Amino acid sequence: MYDALQGREDTFVRYTPPGGKARCDVPLRRFPRPCAVADEGVAVVACMDARLNPYGLLGLSEGDVHVIRNAGGVVTADVRRSLAISQRLLGTREIVLIHHTDCGMLTFTDDGFKATIQDEVGLKPDWSAEAFTDLDQDVQQSIGRIKADPFIPRTGEVRGFVYEVETGRLREVKPR
């Protein structure tokens, strides 16, 4: 769709998510691609593990929510940046965090991981892997990071869950 509209910078594009109604008009000269507003007003932060399907777990379809994924579903500076954009520019109001049992982030330490990389390539990474030892504690920490971020305007509706891969159950973690 984008290629067909190049050269028509004064055109407004109406983005329509699959199976949904039109959600926003965007001037092409302002945004390089049409924006994607989440139908449900929700942003989901989840682990990148292939066993975890955020859409299926929450009974949603593609286009219903913004999904931000990384190793462990950890709330890093980049995740907070994405959440600020999702809320401030694209209108999401709620945030759902999903960690899962049997996560690879439970199997190593940051220091050990960095040392292995440094031994292999000669440089220590300037980032933290953010490994953790307790799922509930990390979900609570992630909720705290979101609530403490002054750039994320709506933090009243932040919920955290652990997906139990063994049972398929989604269990809510209460904030501290």
Side-chain angles (χ1 to χ4, degrees):
M1 176 180 167
Y2 179 71
D3 292 339
L5 296 170
Q6 280 186 321
R8 296 171 52 198
E9 289 81 15
D10 293 326
T11 302
F12 278 75
V13 175
R14 176 153 287 194
Y15 174 78
T16 305
K21 58 184 178 183
R23 301 299 293 184
C24 62
D25 289 334
V26 181
L28 283 182
R29 70 179 179 283
R30 185 163 171 216
F31 295 103
R33 295 190 184 271
C35 72
V37 175
D39 280 352
E40 302 296 326
V42 177
V44 176
V45 178
C47 183
M48 66 186 193
D49 190 298
R51 296 172 294 176
L52 194 157
N53 173 359
Y55 299 107
L57 279 175
L58 301 172
L60 301 169
S61 299
E62 193 171 330
D64 287 345
V65 297
H66 292 163
V67 176
I68 303 161
R69 297 184 81 162
N70 67 15
V74 177
V75 175
T76 61
D78 192 54
V79 167
R80 293 191 321 268
R81 176 190 68 86
S82 294
L83 289 169
I85 291 167
S86 179
Q87 286 195 351
R88 291 178 175 274
L89 299 178
L90 301 172
T92 57
R93 298 170 307 284
E94 299 176 40
I95 300 169
V96 173
L97 308 173
I98 305 176
H99 282 32
H100 67 92
T101 57
D102 195 34
C103 184
M105 299 297 283
L106 293 162
T107 66
F108 64 92
T109 65
D110 281 14
D111 290 341
F113 184 62
K114 281 186 171 188
T116 300
I117 292 174
Q118 186 173 16
D119 290 347
E120 185 179 318
V121 301
L123 294 171
K124 188 182 213 178
D126 63 352
W127 40 262
S128 174
E130 301 227 19
F132 45 84
T133 58
D134 184 286
L135 289 168
D136 288 23
Q137 205 171 45
D138 198 70
V139 169
Q140 291 168 336
Q141 175 179 282
S142 294
I143 291 170
R145 284 181 179 178
I146 290 168
K147 288 185 176 275
D149 193 309
F151 306 112
I152 302 172
R154 290 177 287 286
T155 60
E157 292 294 325
V158 180
R159 296 173 69 188
F161 297 86
V162 171
Y163 170 61
E164 298 172 351
V165 296
E166 304 82 5
T167 65
R169 192 174 136 227
L170 197 59
R171 173 178 57 79
E172 185 161 8
V173 176
K174 296 296 178 194
R176 292 181 202 165

